[in-house]
């Protein structure tokens, strides 16, 4: 009886992951095209380095998320450690970008900033907030993974 419930959950999870793979895969291809085109055309010369890096970080996060979901799909486990590690990596990239991008001279503060005094901005609040949420999610997934391993060891 328990095995049947697991198979239903696995099928449902596989469908969700497959839909996520298709969507993030298409977005990843689009992002790769965007990265190559922007780099070859020298987009930073007319939009500025800050906006260019903002776009590159966003594209990188989408590509990282695609590969994280792809690896999760291959493992066939609901709480695979690769998902928590990938989510943690995305959070670290976003938090790093939150502190690095405001150091670029042509940076224009967005709607959320941290410690904004005159021209100085400590961190871009949007990237910082999303990065913290990803790291929090990664921590929750790590706990789920350890609980799953504990239950698997008990059975």
């Amino acid at each position: 009886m328990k095995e049947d419930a697991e198979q239903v959950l696995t099928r449902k999870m596989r469908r969700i992951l497959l839909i996520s793979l298709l969507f993030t895969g298409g977005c990843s291809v689009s992002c790769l095209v965007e990265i190559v085109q922007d780099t070859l055309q020298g987009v930073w010369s007319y939009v500025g380095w800050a906006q260019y890096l903002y776009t590159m970080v966003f594209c990188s996060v989408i590509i990282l998320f695609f590969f994280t979901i792809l690896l999760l799909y291959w493992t066939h486990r609901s709480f695979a450690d690769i998902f928590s590690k990938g989510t943690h990596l995305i959070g670290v990239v976003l938090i790093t970008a939150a502190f690095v991008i405001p150091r670029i001279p042509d940076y224009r503060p967005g709607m959320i900033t941290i410690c904004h005094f005159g021209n100085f901005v400590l961190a871009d609040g949007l990237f910082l907030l999303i990065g913290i949420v990803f790291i929090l999610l990664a921590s929750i997934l790590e706990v789920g993974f350890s609980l799953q391993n504990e239950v698997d060891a008990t059975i």
Side-chain angles (χ1 to χ4, degrees):
M1 184 78 160
K2 186 176 180 181
E3 292 176 13
D4 293 337
E6 275 185 25
Q7 288 176 353
V8 170
L9 179 65
T10 302
R11 285 185 193 144
K12 181 179 179 182
M13 186 68 160
R14 282 186 183 171
R15 279 190 213 126
I16 292 170
L17 285 175
L18 190 58
I19 291 167
S20 299
L21 274 173
L22 291 173
F23 180 71
T24 58
C27 289
S28 294
V29 169
S30 175
C31 283
L32 283 173
V33 169
E34 177 87 15
I35 288 171
V36 171
Q37 282 181 345
D38 286 358
T39 304
L40 292 176
Q41 294 174 357
V43 167
W44 57 84
S45 62
Y46 56 89
V47 297
W49 276 100
Q51 185 61 42
Y52 172 74
L53 289 177
Y54 218 83
T55 304
M56 294 302 112
V57 168
F58 183 72
C59 288
S60 299
V61 165
I62 290 174
I63 292 167
L64 279 171
F65 198 64
F66 168 71
F67 282 112
T68 300
I69 293 173
L70 184 65
L71 290 171
L72 181 64
Y73 186 76
W74 280 341
T75 61
H76 301 293
R77 297 174 64 188
S78 56
F79 281 108
D81 62 337
I82 191 69
F83 192 60
S84 64
K85 289 177 182 175
T87 306
H88 188 267
L89 178 63
I90 290 169
V92 168
V93 166
L94 287 169
I95 288 175
T96 303
F99 287 98
V100 171
I101 291 177
R103 306 287 81 74
I104 298 171
D106 65 348
Y107 172 77
R108 283 178 268 140
M111 69 172 117
I112 305 172
T113 56
I114 308 296
C115 292
H116 186 187
F117 299 110
N119 290 336
F120 176 77
V121 175
L122 178 63
D124 183 84
L126 186 60
F127 272 174
L128 185 62
L129 177 66
I130 296 171
I132 289 170
V133 168
F134 268 93
I135 288 180
L136 178 64
L137 180 62
S139 299
I140 293 169
L141 291 170
E142 285 175 19
V143 170
F145 179 67
S146 65
L147 288 174
Q148 181 183 16
N149 286 341
E150 192 176 306
V151 167
D152 290 346
T154 305
I155 295 176

